[in-house]
Amino acid sequence: MSSWVLFPRLHLAEVEDQSWCPSWLREHTHRALARMWQTSNSKNGSPATQACDLLLRALGGPDYAARFTFIDSCAGAGGPTPLLEPAMNAKLTASGYNSVDFVLTDLWPDIQAWEKIAQRSQHITYIDEPIDATKPRRLAKPGTKECRIFNLCFHHFDDEAAEKVLASALQSTDAFM
């Protein structure tokens, strides 16, 4: 059976991805995108809640998920992480497991937004230097597995960069989603 592509993969450039973009516009755009993760028009909850359920299922349940540090590789202004973390940790602690940590990273770190997020949760930290998702580098704390999460970010990468992001995740993590 032959296969064909109905629509090609689109590499969409966003203004806030450009080095010349003013920081205030990048921050405003990141905050607007983060807000989308909270909006719910489904009986299954917000997109962030649904993503948490998918993470738990894909990782084989709470027993295995409890072994990970979750690295948000293209976090922007925090994306769904401030919503994923309490949902994930509520499910883990209800099943008798310890809470897990989430780490925000980005090529363009939004330190102001991340500081506020980290102040609200002892299980969310951030790396305040630019982290290039195309370069292999282990970021989880020692003694834990690393799950790198990519929340609606692949449109930022052309095909070559997307391959490098995936290769980096394969080389330096235990799981990615």
Side-chain angles (χ1 to χ4, degrees), residues 21 45 60 103 147 166 169:
C21 178
V103 180
C147 180
L166 293 173

Side-chain angles (χ1 to χ4, degrees), residues 108-175:
W108 303 100
D110 189 341
I111 303 304
Q112 281 186 314
W114 294 357
E115 284 175 344
K116 291 175 185 170
I117 291 167
Q119 288 171 358
R120 292 191 302 261
S121 174
Q122 66 183 25
H123 296 290
I124 299 177
T125 59
Y126 59 88
I127 298 175
D128 62 3
E129 63 188 60
I131 300 293
D132 185 344
T134 67
K135 296 190 166 101
R137 177 177 172 190
R138 191 148 178 93
L139 300 168
K141 65 183 179 184
T144 66
K145 293 184 174 288
E146 179 173 322
C147 180
R148 206 165 292 170
I149 53 179
F150 300 99
N151 298 303
L152 302 177
C153 66
F154 271 90
H155 67 278
H156 292 278
F157 306 112
D158 61 22
D159 289 346
E160 183 180 338
E163 286 178 19
K164 288 179 181 178
V165 169
L166 293 173
S168 169
L170 284 169
Q171 292 171 20
S172 60
T173 68
D174 301 293

Side-chain angles (χ1 to χ4, degrees), residues 60-140:
D63 176 46
Y64 198 64
R67 303 173 193 179
F68 282 88
T69 296
F70 294 88
I71 309 296
D72 188 341
S73 295
C74 302
T81 296
L83 304 165
L84 285 174
E85 181 273 323
M88 175 73 77
N89 284 329
K91 290 174 189 263
L92 292 176
T93 56
S95 298
Y97 298 98
N98 290 330
S99 295
V100 293
D101 293 325
F102 285 74
V103 180
L104 304 170
T105 70
D106 201 287
L107 188 58
W108 303 100
D110 189 341
I111 303 304
Q112 281 186 314
W114 294 357
E115 284 175 344
K116 291 175 185 170
I117 291 167
Q119 288 171 358
R120 292 191 302 261
S121 174
Q122 66 183 25
H123 296 290
I124 299 177
T125 59
Y126 59 88
I127 298 175
D128 62 3
E129 63 188 60
I131 300 293
D132 185 344
T134 67
K135 296 190 166 101
R137 177 177 172 190
R138 191 148 178 93
L139 300 168

